[in-house]
Amino acid sequence: MTQIVLIEDEPGIVDFVTRGLTAGGFQVHAALDGDSGLELALRERVDLVVLDLMLPGRSGSEILSELAGQRPGLPVIVLTARGEVEDRVNGLRDGAADYLVKPFALAELDARIRAQLRAARQAPATTLHRAGLRLDLLARRVTHDGELVRLTATEFDLLAYFMHNAGQVLTRQQILRAVWGYDHDPATNNVDVYVGYLRRKLAGTGREPVRITTLRSRGYRFEDAA
Ligand code: CA
């Protein structure tokens, strides 16, 4: 079921939107302030966020920039009061997928949500998540439980290949082809050397250990503990 987080402090709007979207087949999780709203929006299974700008606690703009950093690709539809539009919406365009001016019709919100969900489904996945690790394939950036991990280009490609194939045994030959891009001399120890680099760089970060297991004479397996 599609999960929508609604962050809005006006109980009347929360009630009306929750009832309408639930009737439309969505599961709605509502928060009445910015801090609990951000917490909800960062949970694993969230498909879209509907966000009011003026909130007690953390403001809508702050939430938007947090989400842009931590969950790029998560669509956010902003709700604004009339008058906030001119001042704020220009600045929001980068972070918000869409916006609606209050008062709005539920049918309009429903249509905007469905359009954003369609667009999000068609976009290729640009991030990988496993075991506390998060790879942004576009920015080529890796974090482990939020902490930045600095990898070379080859280390990044190797980790991305492991994460794409988590839980599977990968032979050295498969890894060489996928990461180095050609049929390398099978006697080379590049794979072993780079797996060693990755283990070292990932050992010092994160709460959950990342395990790349060596299977004697067979290859390696990235353990998908999550
Ligand atoms: Ca408000």
Side-chain angles (χ1 to χ4, degrees):
M1 205 179 206
T2 304
Q3 309 281 326
I4 294 181
V5 167
L6 170 65
I7 311 173
E8 163 66 76
D9 61 318
E10 289 171 59
I13 297 182
V14 171
D15 186 50
F16 144 81
V17 170
T18 303
R19 276 191 290 141
L21 295 181
T22 304
F26 297 113
Q27 188 152 4
V28 181
H29 309 274
L32 291 156
D33 66 83
D35 297 297
S36 54
L38 180 63
E39 206 173 296
L40 269 184
L42 288 174
R43 288 210 305 217
E44 278 311 310
R45 277 271 295 112
V46 173
D47 299 293
L48 184 140
V49 176
V50 177
L51 174 68
D52 180 35
L53 279 189
M54 301 292 274
L55 291 165
R58 214 180 285 255
S59 76
S61 324
E62 286 175 79
I63 294 176
L64 205 50
S65 64
E66 279 290 319
L67 290 178
Q70 298 195 45
R71 284 293 159 89
L74 176 66
V76 180
I77 297 179
V78 161
L79 305 176
T80 70
R82 208 171 283 284
E84 290 174 348
V85 186
E86 295 75 13
D87 305 336
R88 295 178 170 269
V89 168
N90 284 338
L92 292 173
R93 284 230 171 88
D94 301 330
D98 202 353
Y99 66 94
L100 268 179
V101 177
K102 292 177 188 174
F104 53 87
L106 188 65
E108 182 65 28
L109 177 61
D110 189 279
R112 304 275 186 110
I113 287 175
R114 288 176 200 278
Q116 289 306 326
L117 291 172
R118 269 196 304 278
R121 267 194 293 271
Q122 278 156 14
T126 58
T127 56
L128 296 172
H129 300 259
R130 294 216 183 256
L133 277 173
R134 203 191 121 82
L135 254 79
D136 183 331
L137 296 167
L138 290 182
R140 294 183 67 85
R141 187 172 179 275
V142 181
T143 56
H144 192 200
D145 286 335
E147 212 177 309
L148 187 67
V149 184
R150 292 181 195 285
L151 299 182
T152 65
T154 304
E155 289 162 357
F156 183 92
D157 291 340
L158 178 61
L159 182 59
Y161 185 60
F162 273 129
M163 286 174 71
H164 270 301
N165 298 285
Q168 291 178 39
V169 178
L170 300 167
T171 66
R172 284 179 180 75
Q173 199 60 29
Q174 280 176 307
I175 297 170
L176 274 174
R177 256 201 306 275
V179 176
W180 278 263
Y182 51 91
D183 283 318
H184 215 84
D185 172 6
T188 178
N189 68 347
N190 269 2
V191 172
D192 310 271
V193 168
Y194 274 84
V195 167
Y197 292 156
L198 265 190
R199 280 178 178 149
R200 236 166 295 151
K201 289 195 179 179
L202 295 173
T205 57
R207 289 184 297 271
E208 274 178 272
V210 171
R211 279 183 309 164
I212 303 170
T213 305
T214 309
L215 298 132
R216 253 161 54 91
S217 76
R218 290 168 65 204
Y220 290 100
R221 185 171 58 212
F222 178 90
E223 303 292 346
D224 187 13

